[in-house]
Amino acid sequence: MLFRKMIRDLLKNKVQFLSIFLMSFVGMAAFAGLDAESTGGFRSICNYYDEYNLADYWVDGGGFDDDEVRKIEALDEINSVEKRSIINGKDAANTDHALLLHFIKTNSINKCWLVEGTPFEEGKEGFWIEKYYAKANNLSVGDNMSINIGNERIDGIVKGIGENPEYVYYILDGSLMMPDYGNYSFVYLSDEMHPDRENLKYTQLIIDAKEATPELKKKIEDILDRKDVVVTDRRQNISFMTFDDELSQHKAMGVMFSIVFLLIAFLGIVTTMTRVTANQRIQIGTLKALGFSKRTITLHYISYGVLITALGDIIGAYVGMIGFPGWIFPMFEGAYLTPKLSGVLTPFSVYGVAISVLLAALVSFLSCRKQLKDMPAITLKPEAPKFLKANFIERSSLWQKLPFSTQWNFRDIARNKIRTLMGVVGIAGCTMIMFAAFSCNDSILGILDIEYKDIATYTTQVSFEEAVDNSDRFDYARKYKGQLLQSVPIEVASLNAKENETLTVIGAGGYVHTIDRNGHTVKLTNDGIALTDKACKNLGVKEGDFIKWHITGDDKWQYTRINQVVKSTMTQGIYMTRDTFENFQYTFTPTSFVTNITVPKRLIDDDDNIMAIVTVDDLVESLNRNLGNMLQMVILLVACAVLLGVIVLYNLGILSFTEKTREVATLKVLGFGSRKIRNILQEQNIWISLMGIFLGVPLGKLMMIGLCATMSSNMDFSPVYSAKTYIYSVGGTFIVSILVNFMFSGKVKTINMVDALKGVE
């Protein structure tokens, strides 16, 4: 009997319970879906790393011999060590395409995952190349390929096409904002193919450890006992950390989304179950009089919220787990070089469903207990009307000056605080998500403004080959009226941490600028160094503190004070002028120059001294190609925000209108027309919308700050909020609010005056 009663009650209040179902569905779909996507991505990539033996440590230095390799391999914690030489080259068929060449002896660490071709063999000639580069340049297994290294040329055959766990994410240098794997790539080949085999230096060791620990890292540094050596673990590897941070960000988004939607669902349970039990007061008394225990009746009403929430959670978790990974993982293509990724059902999703259902039961109990605690004799009587005392506003002289609509709405809100809270939270959630969606787009576009309007005012960057004479580098800059730059990898250490960063030395000129945290242009001084804001956070230091640093491969450490803190979105580390650099007794050896004069791309073909020519237009075009994924995410977020607003406001409107039917009918009897009554209802709706919007905008900013904080350590994104973001998020929320209010306020005309005004029997 109670089950049939529950079904009738659910159907009678289908709009309210449907909104609870939808909120539970969307909230759990976001949580379980993004959890399945991020956890599945973590699991897939970890299996990839394990199967193809991603290195635990990378050791860079001026050169390593077999004796040093044997000493490291003698450690009990070490499985194996491989040495290799990494140098820059160019595709002879497309000389504007840069290639990072890995001359190796064996390939048991960082093994190539082959899509086609044969595995690497020691001493076997040939090239093993990345699949996106092969596809973009129409290369297949068996094709002839030539690579230029300065004035030398290597000819060979493509023996394998695939990917490598070492390069899940790869950019040519810090000036690029997005990967463009069709224009640059990495190549593995035997050290037997090195053009200068007799003078070959192995400049890097890769180490496979049984367990990577800080103590083992220190042991490796002590064994080598060289100041020019830099030991890097996975947590300092850009490829590893960028993909790891991407998945962590998705998991955080899932938690934030689910909290918003499930909170609305629980508030919906409170308002709906309070109304249902209040309207069924006499039915509750009748059930008690018929012998149903208080426990049985309580469980009966608790089951309403539990059933709807459980259905929404379970279906949402299933749909999210199936849909989100299949939708998100294809977006990774072109940005990450990964094997097939798949989502998984995790215990966290199961725990999430269980906790959500338990909270729904608790909320349902708290909503019902007031009507269930009285004796049958009391419950069978109609509840006495609430006695509300006039508050200080109603007692003030201002109250009499307010229009009737304002007085009516103020008293209605005071009588229905939970219902109002639900509306405010729902609108705040709608505004928050919509604001975060549009500001995501603003932040990406804002990077372009910071990088190519505030920091860089050049149109072209030209990179030199390593072997170019220093005098020739200066000649190129004079010829094209450019500004010389030197970028080299460095190791930076503080008392708290040690990081691998980049040293950028800026020569004379006006194309490259530095800005502070607030975006204001600052001039670098000649008596100290400037450290980027993100590097300061990574190292746990501030302006005025001392750090030590050295150029990778150089055993000379510098102990310097941080004179300035500057902002950089993509390249983190130290910035200094040429004069400061030379004061440290270094030779300024530019790695590139920037200019606003057009540099012909054919110069790469005609001049062996030029490694790459990149224009700002090329970079912007590359970024725009990848903004499609961002646009999809923005559309999804806006759709979720609109859905949240529509469901909450429509549910609130129906609930409010149902409870105010008698009052609305009284207004009609007193001579208020339908249009006037609809305006009164719309006024309250606007009040609630304004309160929600004022709360939602700062929450949207907090959400964006949280998302930016999960970016990888080499990227420094700051939230950007344009005027359009405020207009679209606030205006969009208002449009949703007005349209939904228009949908239900038309019911004013449908009120049955006799039924609405007759006394309670």
Side-chain angles (χ1 to χ4, degrees):
M1 182 181 79
L2 292 180
F3 179 76
R4 292 197 300 271
K5 175 181 177 298
M6 180 182 68
I7 298 299
R8 286 196 300 270
D9 290 342
L10 292 178
L11 292 175
K12 184 177 180 181
N13 300 277
K14 54 183 176 293
V15 173
Q16 288 79 18
F17 285 110
L18 179 62
S19 71
I20 296 171
F21 170 83
L22 289 174
M23 290 294 100
S24 301
F25 171 83
V26 174
M28 196 52 64
F31 176 77
L34 290 173
D35 180 64
E37 176 262 333
S38 57
T39 305
F42 278 124
R43 192 169 299 179
S44 299
I45 203 67
C46 286
N47 291 338
Y48 178 44
Y49 292 152
D50 291 341
E51 184 176 356
Y52 293 92
N53 201 17
L54 176 67
D56 294 294
Y57 297 102
W58 290 259
V59 184
D60 294 283
F64 301 98
D65 55 35
D66 291 335
D67 184 54
E68 290 174 312
V69 172
R70 283 191 292 269
K71 287 180 180 179
I72 297 174
E73 285 183 325
L75 292 173
D76 294 335
E77 301 94 332
I78 300 298
N79 289 324
S80 61
V81 181
E82 292 182 2
K83 58 182 181 179
R84 62 188 187 177
S85 178
I86 302 178
I87 59 177
N88 293 316
K90 291 191 292 191
D91 189 339
N94 300 281
T95 52
D96 59 335
H97 292 180
L99 300 173
L100 191 65
L101 307 179
H102 299 67
F103 291 94
I104 59 177
K105 188 175 289 292
T106 57
N107 189 223
S108 61
I109 305 175
N110 296 339
K111 292 187 292 187
C112 292
W113 171 54
L114 293 179
V115 177
E116 56 178 308
T118 57
F120 177 87
E121 295 180 17
E122 184 175 351
K124 186 176 181 180
E125 294 189 352
F127 302 129
W128 282 261
I129 63 177
E130 194 274 317
K131 68 176 186 179
Y132 281 104
Y133 185 83
K135 181 179 179 181
N137 293 277
N138 299 315
L139 292 171
S140 303
V141 172
D143 288 351
N144 292 315
M145 185 177 181
S146 298
I147 298 175
N148 295 335
I149 305 175
N151 296 323
E152 303 290 338
R153 181 175 175 138
I154 305 175
D155 297 313
I157 297 174
V158 176
K159 293 294 184 67
I161 295 175
E163 295 174 357
N164 192 285
E166 187 175 13
Y167 295 107
V168 168
Y169 176 84
Y170 171 59
I171 56 175
L172 184 64
D173 59 54
S175 65
L176 298 178
M177 299 184 64
M178 297 294 290
D180 190 2
Y181 300 120
N183 288 325
Y184 56 84
S185 188
F186 50 87
V187 179
Y188 287 81
L189 62 168
S190 171
D191 57 2
E192 298 290 340
M193 297 183 69
H194 195 281
D196 189 5
R197 185 74 179 83
E198 293 182 358
N199 298 313
L200 171 61
K201 278 188 177 183
Y202 294 97
T203 55
Q204 188 180 75
L205 302 179
I206 49 177
I207 300 174
D208 174 29
K210 294 176 182 176
E211 183 180 1
T213 62
E215 292 76 19
L216 178 56
K217 184 177 179 181
K218 184 67 168 58
K219 283 184 180 180
I220 296 170
E221 292 172 339
D222 292 341
I223 286 174
L224 296 172
D225 193 24
R226 288 165 47 183
K227 294 182 178 179
D228 66 332
V229 166
V230 176
V231 182
T232 305
D233 58 29
R234 291 186 181 183
R235 301 302 300 178
Q236 296 170 300
N237 181 274
I238 291 178
S239 170
F240 181 92
M241 283 303 300
T242 300
F243 192 71
D244 185 81
D245 290 340
E246 176 82 32
L247 295 178
S248 298
Q249 187 182 57
H250 290 191
K251 187 180 285 289
M253 286 179 64
V255 172
M256 286 188 284
F257 268 66
S258 60
I259 288 175
V260 173
F261 282 89
L262 292 177
L263 177 60
I264 300 300
F266 296 147
L267 286 173
I269 291 174
V270 171
T271 55
T272 302
M273 293 310 302
T274 300
R275 176 175 172 270
V276 168
T277 52
N279 290 343
Q280 295 187 2
R281 177 182 174 86
I282 295 178
Q283 292 186 35
I284 293 170
T286 303
L287 291 173
K288 288 181 178 181
L290 291 174
F292 286 90
S293 66
K294 180 180 178 181
R295 174 189 176 89
T296 300
I297 299 172
T298 301
L299 291 175
H300 166 66
Y301 282 104
I302 289 176
S303 65
Y304 286 46
V306 169
L307 175 64
I308 297 301
T309 303
L311 283 174
D313 287 348
I314 293 171
I315 297 174
Y318 177 78
V319 171
M321 187 186 68
I322 298 299
F324 272 72
W327 174 66
I328 293 175
F329 285 145
M331 294 184 187
F332 287 172
E333 293 185 11
Y336 298 103
L337 307 175
T338 63
K340 183 174 177 59
L341 303 175
S342 59
V344 295
L345 176 64
T346 71
F348 289 107
S349 296
V350 178
Y351 298 153
V353 171
I355 292 172
S356 176
V357 172
L358 288 174
L359 288 174
L362 176 62
V363 170
S364 298
F365 169 73
L366 295 176
S367 304
C368 301
R369 65 175 182 169
K370 180 181 177 181
Q371 299 295 341
L372 299 173
K373 67 180 181 180
D374 293 329
M375 299 294 291
I378 298 174
T379 310
L380 285 169
K381 297 178 181 179
E383 186 177 14
K386 293 180 181 179
F387 177 74
L388 294 178
K389 293 182 178 179
N391 56 42
F392 72 96
I393 295 179
E394 293 177 281
R395 292 194 299 269
S396 68
S397 58
L398 175 64
W399 180 257
Q400 299 301 326
K401 299 177 182 178
L402 295 175
F404 171 77
S405 60
T406 302
Q407 294 177 341
W408 192 83
N409 283 318
F410 183 87
R411 283 175 171 159
D412 186 59
I413 288 174
R415 285 195 299 266
N416 300 279
K417 297 181 180 65
I418 298 296
R419 189 186 72 202
T420 303
L421 177 63
M422 176 185 172
V424 171
V425 173
I427 291 296
C430 174
T431 307
M432 179 188 76
I433 296 172
M434 202 175 293
F435 188 91
F438 290 119
S439 60
C440 273
N441 193 55
D442 285 343
S443 298
I444 296 296
L445 297 177
I447 295 170
L448 291 175
D449 290 338
I450 294 173
E451 280 293 321
Y452 303 119
K453 290 183 180 179
D454 298 334
I455 297 176
T457 55
Y458 55 83
T459 59
T460 305
Q461 181 171 3
V462 181
S463 300
F464 298 116
E465 291 285 0
E466 292 182 7
V468 182
D469 290 337
N470 219 26
S471 60
D472 291 336
R473 300 171 193 255
F474 286 90
D475 289 340
Y476 281 107
R478 282 191 290 269
K479 179 179 179 181
Y480 291 100
K481 298 181 180 179
Q483 181 177 10
L484 290 165
L485 304 173
Q486 180 176 355
S487 295
V488 291
I490 59 172
E491 187 177 30
V492 188
S494 67
L495 294 176
N496 307 307
K498 183 184 288 187
E499 297 287 339
N500 293 322
E501 305 286 5
T502 300
L503 168 63
T504 303
V505 183
I506 303 175
Y511 292 128
V512 178
H513 312 275
T514 49
I515 59 174
D516 61 17
R517 293 187 179 103
N518 299 317
H520 301 137
T521 301
V522 294
K523 186 176 181 180
L524 295 180
T525 61
N526 291 326
D527 58 351
I529 67 167
L531 192 65
T532 60
D533 185 40
K534 188 68 175 281
C536 285
K537 294 174 182 176
N538 294 338
L539 294 166
V541 295
K542 62 184 183 301
E543 185 175 339
D545 290 347
F546 283 84
I547 58 171
K548 63 177 184 177
W549 57 274
H550 75 104
I551 297 173
T552 303
D554 188 347
D555 61 0
K556 183 170 61 175
W557 282 81
Q558 304 290 347
Y559 187 71
T560 53
R561 181 177 180 272
I562 304 170
N563 275 17
Q564 296 170 282
V565 175
V566 296
K567 181 83 170 179
S568 176
T569 58
M570 302 300 295
T571 304
Q572 306 308 319
I574 294 175
Y575 282 75
M576 65 177 67
T577 64
R578 175 185 173 181
D579 290 340
T580 302
F581 185 65
E582 291 176 340
N583 287 339
F584 286 116
Q585 305 305 310
Y586 291 114
T587 300
F588 181 54
T589 308
T591 54
S592 65
F593 73 88
V594 293
T595 180
N596 278 335
I597 295 177
T598 301
V599 180
K601 288 290 185 74
R602 68 174 183 275
L603 190 64
I604 300 178
D605 297 324
D606 300 337
D607 196 330
D608 293 331
N609 291 332
I610 303 301
M611 183 178 72
I613 299 175
V614 180
T615 67
V616 171
D617 289 340
D618 293 336
L619 299 176
V620 173
E621 181 183 352
S622 174
L623 179 63
N624 287 333
R625 284 199 301 268
N626 289 277
L627 282 179
N629 293 342
M630 175 59 69
L631 182 60
Q632 290 186 48
M633 186 64 72
V634 169
I635 292 173
L636 175 66
L637 291 173
V638 172
C640 289
V642 171
L643 177 65
L644 173 61
V646 169
I647 292 173
V648 170
L649 288 172
Y650 190 79
N651 179 40
L652 184 67
I654 292 295
L655 187 62
S656 174
F657 184 78
T658 303
E659 292 176 349
K660 291 184 288 192
T661 301
R662 187 179 182 87
E663 289 89 338
V664 172
T666 303
L667 291 176
K668 295 186 76 172
V669 170
L670 293 174
F672 286 81
S674 297
R675 180 183 295 274
K676 178 62 175 178
I677 296 174
R678 292 178 69 173
N679 289 338
I680 293 174
L681 298 177
Q682 182 71 283
E683 182 179 322
Q684 184 178 141
N685 193 57
I686 291 174
W687 289 8
I688 294 173
S689 297
L690 284 173
M691 288 187 284
I693 288 169
F694 283 129
L695 181 62
V697 169
L699 287 176
K701 291 184 177 181
L702 288 176
M703 185 177 181
M704 273 304 301
I705 292 171
L707 292 176
C708 289
T710 60
M711 291 290 181
S712 63
S713 58
N714 66 306
M715 304 172 77
D716 190 5
F717 283 20
S718 297
V720 177
Y721 318 115
S722 69
K724 289 183 179 179
T725 292
Y726 287 93
I727 293 171
Y728 291 160
S729 56
V730 173
T733 304
F734 257 118
I735 290 173
V736 170
S737 174
I738 292 170
L739 289 178
V740 172
N741 184 72
F742 182 78
M743 290 167 60
F744 71 78
S745 63
K747 293 180 176 291
V748 171
K749 298 179 181 179
T750 66
I751 293 177
N752 187 313
M753 304 293 288
V754 175
D755 290 341
L757 293 174
K758 68 181 181 180
V760 179
E761 297 177 359

